[in-house]
């Protein structure tokens, strides 16, 4: 909890400084603000503790178990399902998809109805989740084969630039944001634990060099797939 307070201190100081010295206004609902801040501190504390206690160990242990099993098929299937499942559950992605559906309906790009907005938002979520699943599979293959990450990332961003030239303007911003919101509170801990655990279990692989980088793929592929989704829809 002390660590959570220390991490939140810069945000509190920045907001307090601009509220009091720049805007020169009293803080609205000070009691509610303090209660909310305490809830944030408690939530962040338990979240970090939960990651260290549960998600990181289970991710690493499952990666070790699959490496010992020696079945590439089941490992890649697990990697895809992990990437897909964690991304579908991401609160940030749900929020962005719902907001994108509302804007699309107001802008006349889709029918202004609850069913149409729900279909658009779900299509966007599942497109991003599918792309992250493929990204994790690609990242696991990189660890297994020892491929160089920089060339793969360069090729991926070249594809992003090319897709940007042909995708509808209305979808480009959503696609770029989708690349960021996928790597959030649920996906990052499990995917990172998978990469580090897998690299630690394979002879000749360095967890520091080969274990990280999966998140980079998970941020890259949604931009490509969402722009393709916009071109089709």
């Amino acid at each position: 909890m002390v660590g959570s307070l220390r991490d939140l201190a810069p945000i509190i100081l920045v907001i307090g400084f601009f509220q009091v010295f720049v805007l020169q206004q009293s803080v609205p609902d000070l009691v509610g603000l303090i209660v909310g801040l305490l809830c944030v501190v408690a939530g962040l504390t338990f979240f970090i503790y939960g990651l260290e206690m549960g998600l990181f160990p289970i991710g690493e242990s499952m990666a070790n178990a699959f490496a010992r099993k020696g079945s590439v098929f089941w490992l890649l299937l697990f990697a895809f399902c992990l990437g897909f499942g964690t991304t579908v559950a991401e609160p940030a992605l749900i929020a962005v998809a719902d907001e994108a559906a509302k804007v699309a309906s107001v802008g006349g790009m889709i029918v202004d109805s609850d069913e149409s907005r729900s279909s658009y938002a779900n299509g966007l979520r599942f497109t991003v989740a599918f792309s992250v699943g493929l990204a994790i599979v690609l990242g696991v293959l990189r660890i297994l084969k020892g491929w160089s990450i920089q060339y793969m990332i360069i090729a991926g961003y070249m594809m992003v630039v090319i897709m940007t030239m042909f995708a509808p303007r209305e979808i480009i911003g959503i696609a770029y944001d989708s690349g960021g919101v996928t790597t959030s509170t649920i996906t990052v801990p499990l995917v990172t634990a998978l990469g580090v655990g897998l690299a630690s279990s394979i002879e000749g692989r360095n967890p520091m060099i080969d274990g990280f980088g999966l998140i980079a793929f998970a941020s890259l592929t949604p931009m490509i797939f969402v722009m393709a989704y916009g071109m089709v829809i």
Side-chain angles (χ1 to χ4, degrees):
M1 188 168 290
V2 173
S4 298
L5 284 170
R6 183 181 62 248
D7 295 338
L8 289 171
I11 303 175
I12 298 172
L13 291 174
V14 168
I15 294 176
F17 173 80
F18 281 92
Q19 181 74 27
V20 176
F21 294 101
V22 178
L23 297 177
Q24 296 182 349
Q25 297 177 357
S26 61
V27 178
D29 191 13
L30 181 60
V31 175
L33 181 63
I34 294 174
V35 172
L37 180 61
L38 293 176
C39 290
V40 171
V41 172
L44 184 60
T45 300
F46 285 114
F47 175 71
I48 295 175
Y49 186 71
L51 292 182
E52 296 174 350
M53 185 177 179
L55 291 187
F56 276 119
I58 191 64
E60 292 186 12
S61 64
M62 292 190 72
N64 293 331
F66 276 109
R68 289 194 302 270
K69 188 177 181 64
S71 174
V72 176
F73 170 77
W74 287 111
L75 175 60
L76 295 181
L77 180 61
F78 170 70
F80 176 82
C81 293
L82 181 68
F84 184 91
T86 55
T87 304
V88 165
E90 278 293 352
L93 176 60
I94 295 173
V96 168
D98 289 343
E99 191 65 27
K102 293 177 184 177
V103 173
S105 65
V106 172
M109 289 175 284
I110 60 175
V111 179
D112 189 8
S113 67
D114 291 339
E115 182 180 355
S116 180
R117 285 190 292 270
S118 177
S119 176
Y120 185 88
N122 288 332
L124 188 60
R125 281 179 61 199
F126 286 118
T127 298
V128 173
F130 181 80
S131 70
V132 173
L134 289 182
I136 304 305
V137 169
L138 185 62
V140 168
L141 281 174
R142 181 191 70 84
I143 295 174
L144 295 176
K145 301 294 184 180
W147 295 335
S148 178
I149 188 173
Q150 57 264 38
Y151 297 114
M152 299 175 69
I153 295 296
I154 290 172
Y157 276 104
M158 289 177 63
M159 189 175 297
V160 169
V161 172
I162 294 173
M163 290 287 292
T164 303
M165 297 178 182
F166 298 98
R169 290 186 303 170
E170 295 83 2
I171 201 68
I172 292 175
I174 298 174
Y176 280 33
D177 284 345
S178 298
V181 298
T182 54
T183 52
S184 189
T185 55
I186 299 177
T187 306
V188 171
L190 283 171
V191 171
T192 303
L194 171 65
V196 172
L198 185 60
S200 302
S201 305
I202 300 176
E203 186 178 355
R205 296 289 178 266
N206 186 327
M208 182 61 71
I209 298 174
D210 301 307
F212 294 91
L214 291 179
I215 302 302
F217 290 111
S219 300
L220 174 61
T221 53
M223 293 187 279
I224 299 172
F225 276 74
V226 171
M227 283 190 278
Y229 175 78
M231 295 169 70
V232 173
I233 298 301

